Amino acid sequence: MSDQAPSPRRALVTGSAGFIGAALSHALLDAGWEVTGIDSLNDYYEVPLKEARRARLTARAGFTDQVARIETPGVLADLFAQVRPGAVFHLAAQAGVRYSIENPRAYFEANLQGTFELLEAARAHPPKHMLLASTSSAYGANTEMPYLETDRADHQMSFYAASKKSCENMAHAYAHIYGLPMTLFRFFTVYGPWGRPDMAPSRFARAILQGAPIEVYNHGKMKRDFTYIDDLVEALVRLVDRVPDPAAPVAQDSLSPVAPFRVINIGNADPAPLPDFIAAIEAATGRQAQQTLLPMQPGDVPATWADTHLLKELTGFQPATDLRTGVQHFVDWFRGYYRL
């Protein structure tokens, strides 16, 4: 292990050109952190959007980054040794439930191999706190709502979800064996400005603005705990100082009994029916959607709903951006960025 101490106000953000990673990096910079990012700028979705996010960050004082694949052996080890971050936010991943059916190898490499490289780098150069992105999809076939962090999560419905749950298990093992403090956050359908074009908000907004039909799965009989990007980022910034300590549990805690490891939901705790979300986009665009109703897609789930009592107990914060307000902010950005 390195004998150099980690810097308490220096953060490493993996996936820094991604939707959440870029937004988090800006928030950390605003709060006075030095931020080092790493992103592969892969072509899973439009690279110019990732480059535009990255350009906004590289223009700011206090931000440096590297373009590289985290699963490449030695890349993260070298970066940890150079930066010595006090906090690590691991957001780099191959995302998307449906694409994991088409190309599961991408999930094995980015999510499993990439997280392994991260954990090995942290073992050699321990930070004060590691916050790793998981997903509400980890709850899988669970039908009891809202989802509690202490619920069993054994039956994932997609390879994407299985890869993220596997990352949780890997992280727990490293937390136990090496005493690495880990917070695994499960987020719920994040949306907002600079969002991914493969997700429903962008797909729906584009189709509605262009007069094309939108594909509505399970005939619209779905609910999602839509979480506005600024709320997610606020929660993460507040959580960085809430380092898991098995000797200091709080109410309704998910702390491991054998490791400095915690799982926490970050959601709006207010699931919205899919028709309400579509109506919010219609209101924001001033146009009516043409809907093509389709059956449920493989690997998908009909509803998600976060219990956020643990987040509130730890941080005093509860995401609360209402759907209409958040969607209006998103559509305003979308129309300006894509000139629609």
Side-chain angles (χ1 to χ4, degrees):
M1 290 191 179
S2 169
D3 57 3
Q4 180 184 353
S7 175
R9 299 291 285 178
R10 184 177 297 146
L12 172 64
V13 177
T14 72
S16 56
F19 171 35
I20 298 171
L24 173 64
S25 295
H26 280 292
L28 291 169
L29 291 167
D30 290 343
W33 287 71
E34 296 177 38
V35 179
T36 297
I38 182 170
D39 201 291
S40 69
L41 299 176
N42 70 27
D43 61 358
Y44 168 62
Y45 61 81
E46 58 192 68
V47 175
L49 177 59
K50 298 179 180 182
E51 290 176 334
R53 297 192 194 112
R54 181 186 179 218
R56 294 177 69 236
L57 284 167
T58 55
R60 297 194 58 175
F63 181 83
T64 57
D65 74 340
Q66 178 178 349
V67 176
R69 292 166 60 95
I70 63 167
E71 58 266 38
T72 303
V75 165
L76 284 174
D78 291 345
L79 194 57
F80 268 69
Q82 173 190 341
V83 174
R84 294 302 281 122
V88 174
F89 296 87
H90 180 41
L91 292 155
Q94 178 58 59
V97 169
R98 298 177 187 110
Y99 187 59
S100 70
I101 297 173
E102 301 171 25
N103 186 11
R105 183 174 295 277
Y107 294 76
F108 171 75
E109 292 173 352
N111 298 0
L112 297 174
Q113 290 185 343
T115 300
F116 169 74
E117 292 293 333
L118 180 93
L119 295 172
E120 280 289 282
R123 177 168 71 89
H125 309 285
K128 298 292 186 182
H129 192 186
M130 299 180 68
L131 297 97
L132 283 67
S134 189
T135 172
S136 61
S137 297
Y139 289 106
N142 289 17
T143 57
E144 292 293 322
M145 298 280 178
Y147 294 146
L148 279 166
E149 293 91 344
T150 51
D151 290 344
R152 291 187 64 177
D154 296 334
H155 304 107
Q156 284 72 51
M157 303 281 279
S158 67
F159 189 66
Y160 163 67
S163 72
K164 297 301 282 185
K165 185 60 170 64
S166 297
C167 289
E168 290 186 12
N169 294 341
M170 291 161 57
H172 182 268
Y174 272 70
H176 170 59
I177 296 170
Y178 304 111
L180 293 168
M182 306 262 192
T183 294
L184 276 288
F185 58 97
R186 294 173 177 166
F187 51 77
F188 287 68
T189 315
V190 185
Y191 74 100
W194 296 95
R196 283 175 23 212
D198 61 308
M199 295 188 70
S202 291
R203 291 188 292 106
F204 286 1
R206 182 178 296 279
I208 291 170
L209 288 167
Q210 294 179 339
I214 62 173
E215 296 181 338
V216 181
Y217 293 99
N218 203 34
H219 303 277
K221 298 175 182 177
M222 302 178 75
K223 288 186 176 183
R224 288 291 182 268
D225 200 339
F226 293 100
T227 310
Y228 189 60
I229 182 64
D230 290 359
D231 288 339
L232 173 64
V233 166
E234 176 72 16
L236 291 179
V237 172
R238 291 185 181 221
L239 280 169
V240 72
D241 293 326
R242 297 310 306 261
V243 180
D245 179 356
V250 298
Q252 288 191 212
D253 213 335
S254 60
L255 264 174
S256 165
V258 295
F261 176 96
R262 173 185 279 128
V263 174
I264 186 164
N265 291 333
I266 304 179
N268 220 49
D270 184 23
L274 185 56
D276 289 2
F277 182 71
I278 295 170
I281 297 181
E282 290 175 326
T285 59
R287 304 186 187 184
Q288 189 169 1
Q290 305 171 41
Q291 301 186 34
T292 301
L293 302 180
L294 298 169
M296 180 78 84
Q297 290 201 119
D300 217 340
V301 295
T304 61
W305 181 2
D307 184 298
T308 57
H309 284 92
L310 179 54
L311 176 66
K312 182 70 176 293
E313 179 74 18
L314 288 170
T315 67
F317 176 69
Q318 166 63 55
T321 302
D322 68 272
L323 193 61
R324 289 279 176 139
T325 299
V327 167
Q328 186 67 64
H329 291 326
F330 164 72
V331 169
D332 289 345
W333 166 82
F334 187 89
R335 298 188 77 161
Y337 181 80
Y338 290 105
R339 300 180 182 179
L340 292 173

